[in-house]
Amino acid sequence: MGPADSWGHHWAGILFSASLFTVWSLPTAAHLIPDAYLLNTIQKALAKPTISVSQGTATEHREKVTFYCDTKDVNITIHWVSNNRPLVFHERLQLSPDGKTLTILTVQREDAGNYQCEAWGARQIQSSDPTFLMVNYGPDPIEIKLESGVLSGDVVGVMEGSNVTFSCFSWFFHNDSLLSLTTRTFSIHAMSREHEGTYRCLVSNSATHLSLLAALKVRVLERLAKPCIVSPSRNLQENANSVALTCQTTHEGDRVQWFLKDQLLLPSKHLVLSADNKTLVIHGLGRNDTGPYECEVWKWGSWARSEPFWLTISYGPDRVDITMGPGSGVVRDVTVELNSSLTLQCRAESQPGAEYCWTLEHSTTVYMVGTLTIAALSWEHQGIYNCTALNPLTRLTHSTLVLVRVVGSQLSWSAGTIAGITIGILTVIVLSTGLGCFLYIINVGWPSKQTAEDPIHETTPTSEKEHAGELSSEGAAFRNPWGLFSQPHQAIAQTYIASISPHTTKRKHGVRL
């Protein structure tokens, strides 16, 4: 199909459409009448309604108010608006069948505000100007308030000398003399007994012509003096039978209550209160009953509390422990080196603090210290030590023991000491030998003189080698003194040395004594 055919079809469609328009179009006059009617209906706007009210001010619970919405339009619906919100209907609101009349049967304070009516057409809404309704009410029931005071029933207690402010509208004193006409508050500085009585507050509303009178009875409370706690003695001993604490006050008719460690004291078998609560008896006194105790007096809202009261309870000494200083555990057996230092500390729980004394067995020396320090230990420091703790008030004592062992090497004798001992032993042997010879001669007799018949013994010269041997043996004797003695004599000498030595002989420089 070519371009000429396309254009031919296009014009054919246009001619067909024009022919249909000609066939179905109405006459000109008949076509203009409906359009004009419709245009006239759309362009006609709704008139603004107006609202009227029977009275713009009403008294609560006494009057009714009627609103009327006036409009010249027809075929409309009336809606009501209160304070820019659709009106919520309830039993006190009444609406006419056409909706143009709204009646509030019994006016209340929540009915106050702006009212409007709205005319709703098919496609338009018109609202009236707002109309305000004022509702007068009150006075409501009055409550007199005080910034300070203690309420007890229908009476308010005020502390003597305090400043008090009442809150109300108009004030009358108990003798009906007018104090103030316009103020909402009324203050009294430094309350005294002269200010005690009944105060009245008058509240009036000139619009409602209503008035209310409230009354308040005020009692001025005596400022109580601080009580004090007394006891027969503050210095007590643990496990005493009982102790009584008395709360002393200068006021009559006071109520008394006790506090222990800032908590209300609850009576028990251990803590017993008297009938008037003024005396507290503590049975079976223990070390934890020191306090603090307080008593409080109360009278018509006025109260005062005593100073804290402490008991001093003596106890102990409890179990005594011996340590080797701070951070050390309890010791019962101590082994220390010879010539080293030793510290022993004695401690015991006691109130007041215990006094300590140390003693060593087989010694009369007493050390009145809690910490015993020995700078250089010797053999004489070895033994059993006793520590005794004494409570100076209870006069009670408690003791414990510790065994101290000294270990280490004993110093050997010097060469001079050994030489002296050797000379002494030689002297004893020489004297013993001489005495033996003397006794032998006495018993046997002297030998006979040499006769001429006896052969003559010639002396054989000693060789130099034999003399050298003798010198060598003498040198060995000095190097080893025991070589100068025979075996029996050596045993005697060694036994003698052992008897005069207080301890077992030890080695020093490779020589055993």
Side-chain angles (χ1 to χ4, degrees), residues 65-69 80 87 89 93-96 99-104 115:
V65 175
T66 300
F67 295 92
Y68 179 74
C69 183
W80 289 90
L87 183 65
F89 285 85
L93 295 180
Q94 191 176 67
L95 191 64
S96 62
K100 293 184 178 181
T101 303
L102 172 66
T103 303
I104 304 177
Y115 286 83

Side-chain angles (χ1 to χ4, degrees), residues 298-332:
W298 185 88
K299 186 176 183 180
W300 285 100
S302 176
W303 58 273
R305 185 178 292 194
S306 68
E307 293 293 335
F309 184 86
W310 295 85
L311 291 175
T312 301
I313 301 175
S314 301
Y315 60 86
D318 290 347
R319 186 189 68 183
V320 180
D321 291 326
I322 296 177
T323 65
M324 297 182 68
S328 169
V330 178
V331 295
R332 292 288 181 264

Side-chain angles (χ1 to χ4, degrees), residues 252-365:
E252 296 294 332
D254 299 344
R255 294 177 56 186
V256 179
Q257 56 185 4
W258 289 81
F259 293 85
L260 173 59
K261 298 177 181 180
D262 206 30
Q263 300 292 326
L264 184 65
L265 186 145
L266 301 177
S268 62
K269 292 182 179 180
H270 179 57
L271 303 172
V272 179
L273 292 173
S274 61
D276 58 0
N277 278 13
K278 290 188 176 181
T279 302
L280 171 65
V281 180
I282 307 173
H283 295 285
L285 198 64
R287 63 184 66 182
N288 295 325
D289 293 323
T290 54
Y293 297 89
E294 296 170 282
C295 72
E296 185 179 273
V297 294
W298 185 88
K299 186 176 183 180
W300 285 100
S302 176
W303 58 273
R305 185 178 292 194
S306 68
E307 293 293 335
F309 184 86
W310 295 85
L311 291 175
T312 301
I313 301 175
S314 301
Y315 60 86
D318 290 347
R319 186 189 68 183
V320 180
D321 291 326
I322 296 177
T323 65
M324 297 182 68
S328 169
V330 178
V331 295
R332 292 288 181 264
D333 191 332
V334 180
T335 301
V336 287
E337 291 287 337
L338 184 68
N339 291 324
S340 64
S341 63
L342 175 64
T343 299
L344 297 176
Q345 186 175 13
C346 192
R347 63 187 182 189
E349 187 175 354
S350 176
Q351 174 60 40
E355 298 174 355
Y356 301 95
C357 68
W358 288 87
T359 58
L360 175 61
E361 62 173 344
H362 309 310
S363 174
T364 59
T365 305

